[in-house]
């Protein structure tokens, strides 16, 4: 159900009419909408020239029009977020599909079918606001629910675990991963000494490192990325009973990744790849969607899990506590203005509503103390909640007053509670009937600075993650460790890290060490270092399939297929396949040597959407090369076309080659038959076209990673 802005919902007050009258005094002429004015409402006669002493003379100080314009321009920038600076967002709604009243009194989780407006911002963690979207990184997945009982922010991420266990280490982690302070390099990358120095000295990072080195850190699209609340939260019902809860977002399009080489190409060719993908999907009406899942854990049973659910470096395997799908998230409206919405949106894990509460996860506790300061520094004062994107949709009123950039105009003489004098401001706390109350919890009363021994195992879940990956995914993890550590200059850091990896998996550690040309991993040396904690054999499960990505859905919806053509192209089979793709929700784009039209073998003029000079195969999910001898020969002579195909093959994409274009496979070194998974070939014969289309679509919904090793 739509909710209105608080201004509309608020009851008129005595002063309103008078204020409106002042604004509408008789004789005030509003400039027509298309006329430029100053910030003071003065209509401009000239927006091109400054005021000068003679046409070739100096500019006059009295040029208030120039001064206003430049003064505003000088102040256009605000500090970027300390972390998660690079990101973009969209509007949409959350719809509850399964009522949760038994577990929580949160109003927006009571009635199946009820909708709550949301704003979601996706981000990378390490990079500056101008860095590339496709950097290897943990992504932010922050959701602001504008509920009828206030705003609830679920400020989550694309991994279910974090690098550290205690907020005390967050500034150290961020300083280590950001560009090194002496020369400011590298941007948006963990592949440097300070990150791995810190990570190798902090074995608690190991589980999140496995995620960071995996395909999870290279999403194909934000629309194809899972999200997690990471910390354990609490649901509290009307009786005051609490359950621990973990939050999950599951993309309807399945979870899919880019190849590392492709991600790097995209960083150069289209640094906006992810934000563009989201924007265009929403503009097309392909509203991305996620299932909302919860893992509910009785407080008494939490202690029986073989790890501590207050530890943010641990996840709760679905085999131990299933994920129940209780809602869906749909993003269906792009922001009107990037700065006003995506940049000014201010999330805070402490923005919760009655029925939701925190756990004692020490990382979450630290976040609760941190985010307000960040927003004040970034948005210039304590009134950031009044910005349109941050304002609750329900009415809000209290006696907080003044400060920079106050936009609300509180009325009356009273700004305190209790009072007897107020006429229009008689707000009171409601005594707890609807108002927020924390879950009542008995606490250990010993004041202590330290780490719980239940947080001690740093490897069992890293191993679980490794065991849950498919063959291609494991190869990617090995390559990623090699890539990152080969950029580390200090050999001792590389060695320390592979020694730690020996406690995850001996083969993994050995393969990484081999690639770096360093000593064999020394598990015993790792175990002797400070911070090392391992509790072997406690987890009780060997692998957890949902942690891998290879089994993700194979749907072709919203997938983009490049159609590589040259003059003389034969369109018969291509037309059938293009239609089948379109019917299944995928799209095709013609790529040719140059823009304009390409003449087909039958003389038809085919419009080219992209030219090879500007468009590599990286932004596409698959490549289709129609037949035609002249077309195939022209493509074979074109180095860019061959690179296009070679990259698509290396990046594990589905390829479909028809008729004469099959010869191109040899030219780019693609093997035939079983050694070429995801490669579909066929003739132009009308009888085989439907089968060809079906085979290609079956290959298209996923990447064929086994190719790198020739093993699939
Ligand atoms: Fe954040 N984090 N964080 N964080 N975080 C910020 O808030 C912080 C943590 C996350 O799209 C900052 O507005 C501390 C974990 C996201 O606007 C800052 C600690 C997770 C976003 C901050 C953490 C996150 C932020 C930067 C450890 C995964 C972007 C500016 C105690 C669940 C939200 C700002 C958006 C942003 C602090 C740990 C996710 C500096 C101190 C764990 C998605 O306040």
């Amino acid at each position: 159900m739509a909710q209105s802005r608080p201004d509309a919902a608020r009851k008129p007050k005595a002063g309103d009419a008078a204020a409106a009258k002042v604004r509408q005094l008789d004789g005030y002429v509003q400039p027509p909408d298309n006329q430029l004015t100053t910030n003071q409402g003065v209509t401009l006669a000239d927006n091109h020239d400054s005021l000068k002493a003679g046409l070739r003379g100096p500019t006059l100080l009295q040029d208030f029009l120039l001064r206003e314009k430049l003064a505003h321009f000088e102040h256009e920038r605000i500090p970027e977020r300390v972390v998660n600076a690079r990101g973009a967002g969209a509007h949409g709604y959350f719809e509850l599909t399964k009522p949760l009243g038994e577990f929580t009194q949160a109003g927006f989780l009571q009635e199946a079918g009820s909708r709550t407006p949301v704003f979601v911002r996706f981000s990378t963690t390490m990079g500056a606001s101008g860095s590339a979207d496709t950097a290897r990184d943990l992504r932010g997945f922050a959701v602001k629910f504008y509920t009828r009982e206030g705003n609830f922010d679920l400020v989550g991420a694309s991994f279910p675990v974090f690098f550290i266990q205690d907020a005390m280490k967050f500034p150290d982690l961020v300083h280590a991963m950001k560009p090194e302070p002496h020369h400011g390099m590298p941007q948006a990358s963990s592949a440097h000494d300070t990150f791995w120095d810190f990570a190798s000295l902090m074995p608690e990072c190991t589980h999140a490192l496995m995620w960071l080195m995996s395909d999870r850190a290279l999403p194909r699209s934000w629309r194809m990325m899972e999200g997690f609340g990471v910390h354990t939260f609490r649901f509290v019902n009307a009786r005051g009973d609490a359950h621990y809860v973990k939050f999950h977002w599951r993309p309807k399009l399945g979870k899919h990744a880019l190849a590392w080489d492709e991600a790097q190409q995209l960083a150069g060719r289209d640094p906006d790849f992810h934000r563009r993908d989201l924007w265009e999907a929403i503009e097309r009406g392909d509203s991305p969607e996620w299932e909302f899942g919860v893992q509910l854990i009785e407080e008494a049973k939490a202690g029986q899990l073989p790890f501590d659910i207050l530890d943010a470096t641990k996840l709760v395997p679905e085999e131990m506590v299933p994920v129940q799908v209780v809602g869906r998230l749909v993003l269906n409206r792009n922001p009107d203005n990037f700065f006003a919405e995506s940049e000014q949106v201010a999330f805070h894990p402490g923005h919760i509503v009655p029925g939701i509460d925190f756990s004692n996860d020490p990382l979450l506790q630290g976040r609760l103390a941190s985010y307000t300061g960040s927003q004040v520094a970034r948005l210039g004062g304590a009134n950031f909640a009044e910005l349109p994107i941050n304002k609750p949709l329900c009415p809000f009123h209290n006696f907080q007053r003044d400060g920079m950039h106050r936009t609300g105009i509180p009325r009356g003489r009273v700004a305190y509670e209790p009072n007897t004098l107020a006429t229009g401001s008689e707000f009171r706390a409601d005594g707890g009937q609807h108002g927020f109350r924390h879950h009542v919890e008995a606490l250990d009363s010993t004041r202590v600075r330290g780490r719980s021994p239940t947080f001690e195992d740093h490897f069992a879940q890293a191993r679980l993650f490794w065991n849950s990956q498919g063959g291609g995914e494991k190869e990617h993890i090995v390559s990623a460790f090699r890539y990152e550590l080969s950029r580390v200059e200090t050999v001792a850091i590389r060695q320390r890290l592979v020694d730690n990896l020996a406690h995850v998996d001996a083969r993994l550690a050995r393969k990484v060490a081999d690639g770096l040309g360093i000593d064999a991993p020394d598990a015993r040396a790792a175990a002797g270092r400070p911070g090392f904690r391992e509790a072997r054999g406690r987890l009780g499960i060997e692998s957890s399939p949902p942690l891998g990505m290879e089994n993700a859905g194979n749907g072709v919806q919203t997938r983009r297929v490049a159609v590589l053509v040259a003059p003389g192209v034969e369109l018969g089979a291509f037309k059938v396949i293009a239609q089948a793709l379109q019917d299944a929700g995928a799209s095709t784009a013609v790529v040719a040597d140059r823009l304009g039209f390409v003449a087909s073998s039958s003389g038809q003029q085919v419009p080219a959407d992209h030219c090879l000079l500007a468009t590599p195969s990286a932004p596409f999910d698959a490549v289709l090369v129609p037949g035609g001898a002249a077309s195939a020969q022209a493509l074979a002579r074109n180095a860019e076309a061959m690179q296009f195909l070679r990259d698509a093959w290396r990046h594990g994409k589905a390829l479909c080659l028809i008729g004469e274009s099959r010869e191109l496979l040899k030219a780019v070194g693609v093997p035939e038959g079983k050694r070429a998974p995801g490669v579909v070939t066929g003739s132009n014969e009308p009888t085989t076209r439907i089968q060809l289309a079906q085979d290609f679509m079956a290959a298209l919904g996923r990447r064929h990673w086994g190719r790198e090793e020739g093993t699939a």
Side-chain angles (χ1 to χ4, degrees):
M1 228 176 293
Q3 297 188 5
S4 53
R5 286 264 154 206
D7 299 353
R10 183 169 67 82
K11 283 202 204 104
K13 292 268 172 343
D16 285 4
K21 207 164 167 204
V22 173
R23 285 194 294 272
Q24 289 169 11
L25 275 184
D26 285 350
Y28 274 52
V29 182
Q30 289 298 315
D33 282 351
N34 62 356
Q35 277 186 3
L36 286 173
T37 75
T38 65
N39 287 332
Q40 307 307 318
V42 176
T43 303
L44 295 184
D46 177 349
N47 188 35
H48 283 244
D49 302 305
S50 51
L51 188 69
K52 306 172 188 83
L55 282 180
R56 299 186 62 249
T59 300
L60 298 176
L61 196 59
Q62 63 183 265
D63 189 351
F64 70 100
L65 299 175
L66 176 69
R67 283 169 58 203
E68 182 198 85
K69 193 170 176 182
L70 291 183
H72 194 279
F73 173 73
E74 289 151 21
H75 295 94
E76 278 178 9
R77 292 290 166 270
I78 63 169
E80 63 176 38
R81 291 166 175 82
V82 181
V83 283
N84 299 78
R86 171 78 186 171
H91 296 270
Y93 62 85
F94 169 76
E95 184 180 282
L96 190 72
T97 51
K98 191 175 166 208
L100 288 170
E102 189 188 333
F103 302 102
T104 170
Q105 68 177 110
F108 76 109
L109 297 175
Q110 300 304 313
E111 211 179 300
S114 67
R115 287 187 177 182
T116 303
V118 296
F119 185 78
V120 178
R121 181 174 180 271
F122 301 104
S123 49
T124 50
T125 303
M126 298 182 219
S129 64
S131 59
D133 283 347
T134 55
R136 175 181 293 284
D137 206 348
L138 161 70
R139 271 76 201 153
F141 193 132
V143 183
K144 191 179 281 295
F145 297 76
Y146 302 90
T147 88
R148 290 165 184 275
E149 296 168 318
N151 288 352
F152 166 49
D153 291 355
L154 184 49
V155 199
S158 61
F159 305 167
V161 288
F162 201 63
F163 296 90
I164 48 169
Q165 297 175 321
D166 193 301
M168 197 69 160
K169 296 311 295 169
F170 189 66
D172 297 298
L173 167 72
V174 174
H175 290 169
M177 63 175 36
K178 284 277 185 181
E180 298 191 8
H182 57 315
H183 54 27
M185 293 186 273
Q187 183 53 252
S189 170
S190 53
H192 58 111
D193 284 53
T194 58
F195 176 75
W196 289 100
D197 189 25
F198 178 82
S200 62
L201 292 168
M202 294 279 296
E204 72 194 57
C205 294
T206 310
H207 188 192
L209 286 180
M210 296 298 294
W211 285 77
L212 186 65
M213 294 301 106
S214 80
D215 291 353
R216 295 283 186 149
L218 304 171
R220 152 70 179 81
S221 157
W222 292 334
R223 301 176 294 124
M224 300 170 192
M225 180 175 90
E226 278 189 310
F228 304 89
V230 178
H231 310 281
T232 300
F233 287 83
R234 275 189 174 107
F235 272 164
V236 185
N237 68 17
R239 293 189 302 279
D241 304 329
H243 275 76
Y244 283 125
V245 58
K246 291 272 196 191
F247 296 115
H248 295 247
W249 298 110
R250 289 172 162 176
K252 201 176 153 198
L253 296 172
K255 40 191 179 179
H256 299 279
L258 296 169
W260 173 229
D261 177 67
E262 181 187 16
Q264 290 178 93
Q265 279 192 21
L266 285 167
R269 296 278 195 146
D270 186 6
D272 306 310
F273 184 68
H274 283 147
R275 67 171 64 175
R276 186 188 310 287
D277 169 87
L278 178 68
W279 179 277
E280 289 179 352
I282 292 175
E283 290 298 297
R284 280 196 310 270
D286 281 328
S287 305
E289 200 173 318
W290 288 258
E291 286 178 343
F292 181 60
V294 290
Q295 284 175 299
L296 292 164
I297 307 157
E298 282 174 40
E299 296 217 336
K301 294 216 171 126
Q304 293 162 15
L305 290 168
F307 47 83
D308 195 330
I309 59 167
L310 302 185
D311 173 359
T313 68
K314 308 292 193 303
L315 52 84
V316 180
E318 294 185 34
E319 290 73 13
M320 295 182 188
V321 181
V323 175
Q324 303 179 42
V325 175
V326 297
R328 66 190 191 110
L329 167 72
V330 177
L331 297 182
N332 58 5
R333 181 162 67 85
N334 278 317
D336 291 316
N337 183 274
F338 180 84
F339 179 83
E341 300 175 84
S342 290
E343 200 55 24
Q344 294 202 117
V345 66
F347 291 96
H348 191 324
H351 293 165
I352 54 170
V353 291
I356 298 179
D357 205 344
F358 314 119
S359 71
N360 295 332
D361 171 347
L363 194 66
L364 173 60
Q365 295 281 320
R367 293 180 75 194
L368 300 177
S370 163
Y371 283 59
T372 307
S374 233
Q375 309 307 356
V376 169
R378 217 163 62 75
L379 299 169
N383 288 316
F384 59 85
E386 294 191 5
L387 292 166
I389 193 69
N390 295 324
K391 241 181 180 172
L393 293 183
C394 61
F396 65 104
H397 20 63
N398 54 47
F399 295 119
Q400 293 166 28
R401 287 290 184 268
D402 309 345
M404 299 286 237
H405 317 304
R406 185 83 194 189
T407 53
I409 306 180
R411 301 202 169 80
R413 69 194 287 194
V414 164
Y416 55 90
E417 188 272 347
N419 70 70
T420 57
L421 296 178
T423 48
S425 312
E426 63 282 3
F427 306 121
R428 311 247 188 286
D430 89 332
Q433 213 200 334
H434 303 291
F436 187 89
R437 275 179 182 277
H438 279 288
H439 170 57
V440 179
E441 182 187 16
L443 291 174
D444 175 354
S445 63
T446 317
R447 186 163 67 179
V448 54
R449 191 181 287 283
R451 196 77 55 100
S452 167
T454 51
F455 280 35
E456 72 182 5
D457 178 17
H458 302 322
F459 297 99
Q461 290 214 354
R463 194 175 310 121
L464 178 76
F465 181 78
W466 169 256
N467 289 342
S468 309
Q469 305 300 300
E473 292 171 303
K474 282 185 170 163
E475 292 306 326
H476 293 171
I477 292 173
V478 170
S479 306
F481 272 116
R482 284 181 179 177
Y483 176 95
E484 298 263 322
L485 292 173
S486 65
R487 295 211 153 195
V488 168
E489 288 163 3
T490 313
V491 177
I493 295 175
R494 299 180 189 156
Q495 189 68 52
R496 207 157 53 216
L497 201 280
V498 296
D499 292 349
N500 286 347
L501 288 184
H503 291 269
V504 178
D505 184 85
R507 183 175 150 264
L508 161 69
R510 225 176 18 251
K511 281 194 138 192
V512 175
D514 276 357
L516 298 171
I518 57 174
D519 292 346
D522 185 345
R524 273 211 291 196
R529 293 189 187 117
F532 182 90
R533 300 274 186 281
E534 185 172 34
R536 270 196 173 270
R538 276 194 353 179
L539 202 52
I541 55 171
E542 285 303 309
S543 82
S544 173
L547 302 182
M549 289 171 77
E550 280 193 343
N551 302 325
N554 289 349
V556 304
Q557 238 186 336
T558 79
R559 295 305 189 132
R560 300 178 69 209
V561 178
V563 184
L564 198 53
V565 303
V569 60
E570 216 176 291
L571 298 177
F574 154 65
K575 282 187 178 163
V576 173
I577 297 176
Q579 188 58 51
L581 288 169
Q582 201 182 323
D583 294 346
S587 63
T588 53
V590 172
V591 183
D593 187 35
R594 56 193 173 87
L595 294 179
F597 291 88
V598 179
S600 77
S601 57
S602 61
Q604 207 175 323
Q605 295 294 317
V606 184
D609 300 301
H610 302 280
C611 69
L612 282 163
L613 178 67
T615 309
S617 57
F620 298 97
D621 295 293
V623 181
L624 166 64
V625 195
S631 171
Q633 282 159 19
L635 290 174
R637 287 192 301 272
N638 185 326
E640 277 157 350
M642 291 297 92
Q643 190 61 37
F644 194 95
L645 266 184
R646 202 172 289 120
D647 281 347
W649 160 259
R650 280 199 311 144
H651 299 157
K653 295 175 183 176
L655 304 179
C656 178
L657 296 105
I658 305 170
E660 296 79 355
S661 68
R662 284 178 291 193
E663 292 302 310
L664 298 176
L665 286 179
K666 270 188 224 124
V668 293
V670 174
E672 282 176 50
K674 284 209 171 122
R675 289 168 53 230
V679 177
V680 177
T681 55
S683 73
N684 246 320
E685 292 304 312
T687 49
T688 60
R689 287 173 185 173
I690 301 278
Q691 187 59 49
L692 199 55
Q694 283 170 356
D695 292 348
F696 185 41
M697 287 209 291
L700 165 58
R702 56 183 282 259
R703 294 291 175 93
H704 303 274
W705 297 132
R707 286 174 190 169
E708 294 112 315
E709 298 294 304
T711 52

